[in-house]
Structures are given as structure tokens and as C-alpha cells.
Amino acid sequence: MTSSSPRPHSGEVARVTAEAAELLEILWGRASTAPVSASQLRVMFILEHEEGINLRTLADALGSTPPSTSRLCDRLQAVGFVERAPSDVSRRELRLFLSPRGRTFLAELRERREGAVEAVLQQMPAAGRAALVEGLSAFCAAAAAQLHEGDAVDVRSA
């Protein structure tokens, strides 16, 4: 974004935001020692916010099929990050939970990611950091409102 443009158009803001998101993904990738894929990590974020959901609900939240989602959960259970428990409603249904090990993994991952972002932020001038906080706060509020309109599962992750 250029400093000569006091009121940038939404298209320019979208382009810069997309670029920032891509750079953030790279930073987070460098900070990650994840033994899980991006899809598996998304499962963990959803389970963190929607404890005890069933496989079909998780598959819907992922935009995936129950068999594919089940395989993701199988792998997460094999590394000790997800636990399955029988449902109180139906013997055929299982409820999904993050294990204590999965919660610890997410907390450590967030800590590493925040450290990587903080290293970049320390290179910015204070006024830039203040503007970033203001802009990101407004973005988060607008995105949350849009997601809630569609009754989407809240998967904010760090």
C-alpha cells in the first residue's frame, strides 16, 4: 500500500491482506515442528472450539466427507492428539475431543507462531504496530460477524 493513498480501495486492501496472510503462513510454517498436516491441524482447531462433536458435524465444518474426516481423526488419534468417546445419545455415534497432549501441542504451536510474528513486529515502528492492531481488530470483528451470519464453526486459531 502506498502512503500517498490515505483511503485505499477495498481491492488494494484485499491484495495487501492476502500477501500478508501468505507471508504469515510462511512464518508459521518455519515456526512449526508439526507432526500433523494442515488438514489435521484444522481438525484440532475445530475440536478445541467444539468439544464433543460427532464425525458428521466435523466433516461438515471441514467441507469434507465422513470417511475422509475419519481417516484424519485416525491419524490424530494414533499420535495421541485426539480421543474418541461413545455418545450419550447413540451407541453408533462417537464424540471427538482433543486429548491433553493435543491441547499442549496447540499451546506450544501458538507460542512458537507468536514468537515468529513478534520478531517481525519488533522491526516495525510503533505507529505501524498501532495501526496494525487497529486494522486487524476491525478485520476480525467484520470477519466474525460474517462467519456468524452463516452459522459457521468458529475456528479462529491464533
Side-chain angles (χ1 to χ4, degrees), residues 39-51 53 57-63 98 106 153-156:
S39 296
Q40 292 167 331
L41 193 56
R42 191 163 172 230
V43 166
M44 293 177 69
F45 290 142
I46 292 170
L47 292 181
E48 181 180 44
H49 293 281
E50 297 291 328
E51 262 197 11
I53 63 174
T57 303
L58 177 60
D60 289 345
L62 291 169
L98 271 184
L106 287 182
V153 173
D154 185 12
V155 294
R156 281 178 280 158

Side-chain angles (χ1 to χ4, degrees), residues 42-43 46-47 53-70 72-73 96 153:
R42 191 163 172 230
V43 166
I46 292 170
L47 292 181
I53 63 174
N54 64 27
L55 190 64
R56 182 164 302 284
T57 303
L58 177 60
D60 289 345
L62 291 169
S64 185
T65 64
S68 295
T69 303
S70 183
L72 284 171
C73 291
L96 301 164
V153 173

Side-chain angles (χ1 to χ4, degrees), residues 76-98:
L76 287 167
Q77 187 174 15
V79 294
F81 289 168
V82 168
E83 297 173 345
R84 291 177 165 136
S87 170
D88 298 335
V89 179
S90 167
R91 289 184 299 153
R92 293 178 36 169
E93 190 173 281
L94 292 174
R95 296 172 60 206
L96 301 164
F97 298 89
L98 271 184

